[in-house]
């Protein structure tokens, strides 16, 4: 398979992962909190249920948009790395 196809595939997956308004709000919140946040913190700040937040974070993590680091009984979620920002819709995130 051609190298460019893999890059296009990764971009497609990242676009799918952020095509939800809920996930875009989570990403914008995580960008404003580079140290990361727990599901509870994200849910409280954005007014979502913990179940909804956890489900959306799982989708973002599956597509390598976010990462989670275990700290005690909780996981701290953050944007996976600076390369992910290149795939995100800058027109949305620029205002947040």
């Amino acid at each position: 398979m051609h190298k460019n196809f893999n890059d296009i595939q990764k971009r497609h997956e990242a676009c799918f992962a952020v095509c939800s308004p809920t996930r875009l709000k989570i990403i914008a919140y995580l960008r404003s909190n580079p140290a990361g946040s727990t599901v509870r913190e994200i849910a409280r700040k954005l007014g979502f249920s913990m179940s909804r937040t956890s489900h959306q974070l799982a989708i973002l993590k599956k597509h390598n948009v976010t990462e989670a680091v275990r700290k005690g009984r909780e996981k701290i979620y953050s944007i996976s790395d600076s390369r992910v920002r290149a795939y995100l819709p800058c027109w949305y995130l620029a205002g947040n």
Side-chain angles (χ1 to χ4, degrees):
M1 196 171 304
H2 195 271
K3 180 179 155 185
N4 287 337
F5 179 80
N6 288 334
D7 189 48
I8 290 169
Q9 185 67 24
K10 286 180 183 177
R11 289 174 190 238
H12 168 74
E13 290 173 6
C15 287
F16 168 78
V18 299
C19 71
S20 155
T22 300
R23 292 190 291 267
L24 284 171
K25 289 176 185 177
I26 291 170
I27 291 166
Y29 176 75
L30 289 174
R31 281 178 55 117
S32 69
N33 294 285
S37 296
T38 65
V39 173
R40 183 182 315 274
E41 292 167 341
I42 297 166
R44 187 179 328 126
K45 177 67 177 179
L46 299 179
F48 302 148
S49 70
M50 286 186 50
S51 175
R52 177 182 182 188
T53 303
S54 181
H55 175 72
Q56 300 301 324
L57 284 165
I59 292 170
L60 292 169
K61 187 174 179 231
K62 176 182 175 187
H63 293 285
N64 299 313
V65 176
T66 61
E67 62 186 3
V69 176
R70 184 164 293 285
K71 186 175 182 182
R73 297 180 78 184
E74 296 184 305
K75 289 184 179 178
I76 307 297
Y77 287 87
S78 60
I79 301 296
S80 62
D81 65 38
S82 61
R83 292 174 293 175
V84 169
R85 290 183 175 95
Y87 300 131
L88 297 177
C90 300
W91 53 267
Y92 174 82
L93 297 174
N96 292 304

